[in-house]
Amino acid sequence: RERVEPVRVEAGGDEDHPRPVRVERGQDVAPERLDVLFVPASGGEPKRLTYHPLPDQTLGWTADGKIVFRSRRDTPHNDYRCYTLSPAGGIPELIPLEPAAWVSFEPKGKRVALQKIGLEFHNWKRYKGGEAEQIYVGDLKPLSFKEVTEYEGKDAFPMWSDDGRIYFVTDRWGRPNLASMKPDGGDVKRLTRFDDYDVRWPSMGDGKIVYQHKMDLWVYDLASGKNEQVNLQLPSDRLQVRERFVDPMP
């Protein structure tokens, strides 16, 4: 049997409504190899859904219960494209947007919030060049999109909420922080006020946004505006803090 090692879990739901997780396979393949697997949030054996040589990263769900993921497969320019896939498996279906690094569907609607370029793994600060992430809103049928963020810096991770607003990460106040706006880009509101480290990798669900700040997880409640750190306890044998001898000339 193939060995799997989880690296970044994107999960939710319950035992009756499991959600997908992203895992990295074992050392028998290149470390950047990522596939979409399906597993109940309560635990169990993962079911592998994608087999492409290039990495696949889950982004969320469609309204009809399909998994949304992104990949650089099937493109000569190394751009991201987004696909949908049934939790039962099958052939992924391309969302007709090129390029598309991040998408979020309008709840109970037909519009899509789109981010074309994905620089999530870059550590550039206050970048305002031609590759700065921007957010677009539009329709797939007929295909028509408009850029709704006019700020020349980072506007990324669009997340369309049931309250009708689009939540996202922006560095227009210095450090990347959470913000929200109307679908037309108006009425931008700052939600977090970090000035030391960036807000990274937000994920929305159940009226909350979970995100990374420093090496911690934080949760922002959309209804109340409450923002707090998640208290995590991960017991270990603390290998890195034990007394040890270090070879000065390895």
Side-chain angles (χ1 to χ4, degrees):
R1 298 180 56 143
E2 295 177 336
R3 178 167 55 91
V4 296
E5 300 176 354
V7 291
R8 178 172 177 262
V9 178
E10 298 170 337
D14 52 36
E15 187 172 359
D16 295 326
H17 301 86
R19 303 289 293 271
V21 297
R22 181 174 71 129
V23 305
E24 180 177 339
R25 299 180 61 208
Q27 299 301 317
D28 55 322
V29 293
E32 67 273 13
R33 171 68 176 273
L34 300 173
D35 292 305
V36 176
L37 282 87
F38 191 76
V39 62
S42 58
E45 183 174 357
K47 177 183 178 182
R48 186 177 175 188
L49 301 181
T50 61
Y51 295 82
H52 200 277
L54 291 178
D56 299 324
Q57 180 184 0
T58 58
L59 301 181
W61 294 85
T62 63
D64 58 356
K66 293 182 179 179
I67 300 166
V68 180
F69 72 94
R70 71 178 184 180
S71 177
R72 287 192 168 104
R73 61 173 72 190
D74 304 328
T75 171
H77 307 297
N78 204 34
D79 294 324
Y80 283 115
R81 296 181 180 182
C82 291
Y83 300 80
T84 60
L85 177 64
S86 169
I91 304 300
E93 182 177 349
L94 174 68
I95 300 175
L97 297 170
E98 300 181 44
W102 213 270
V103 296
S104 181
F105 292 89
E106 179 183 19
K108 301 179 182 179
K110 297 182 179 180
R111 292 181 295 176
V112 179
L114 162 70
Q115 172 191 327
K116 293 183 178 181
I117 300 175
L119 303 180
E120 300 88 2
F121 296 100
H122 291 64
N123 291 315
W124 302 344
K125 304 299 180 184
R126 293 168 290 280
Y127 173 72
K128 296 183 179 181
E131 289 191 347
E133 300 114 311
Q134 300 298 328
I135 296 174
Y136 301 76
V137 172
D139 298 280
L140 294 174
K141 295 180 180 181
L143 191 61
S144 176
F145 280 80
K146 177 183 178 181
E147 183 178 336
V148 298
T149 48
E150 298 180 353
Y151 171 63
E152 58 186 2
K154 180 186 186 75
D155 291 310
F157 296 105
M159 299 168 285
W160 209 321
S161 172
D162 289 332
D163 62 12
R165 297 182 66 85
I166 295 175
Y167 292 77
F168 63 106
V169 172
T170 180
D171 66 356
R172 63 187 67 198
W173 301 290
R175 287 284 182 184
N177 274 273
L178 275 180
S180 71
M181 63 181 176
K182 292 181 178 179
D184 62 2
D187 190 30
V188 175
K189 295 181 180 179
R190 183 175 182 175
L191 305 179
T192 60
R193 299 185 177 275
F194 296 109
D195 58 10
D196 49 1
Y197 290 91
D198 301 354
V199 168
R200 307 188 69 186
W201 298 109
S203 180
M204 177 183 290
D206 299 327
K208 297 179 176 62
I209 297 175
V210 177
Y211 60 90
Q212 176 188 343
H213 176 253
K214 299 181 181 179
M215 293 304 293
D216 300 312
L217 291 179
W218 286 66
V219 59
Y220 179 87
D221 188 277
L222 275 59
S224 66
K226 185 178 181 180
N227 186 48
E228 60 183 354
Q229 183 178 332
V230 179
N231 184 22
L232 296 176
Q233 299 293 330
L234 300 175
S236 75
D237 50 6
R238 300 182 181 275
L239 286 174
Q240 299 303 316
V241 298
R242 293 181 186 177
E243 182 179 308
R244 62 189 185 278
F245 294 97
V246 179
D247 186 353
M249 300 182 64

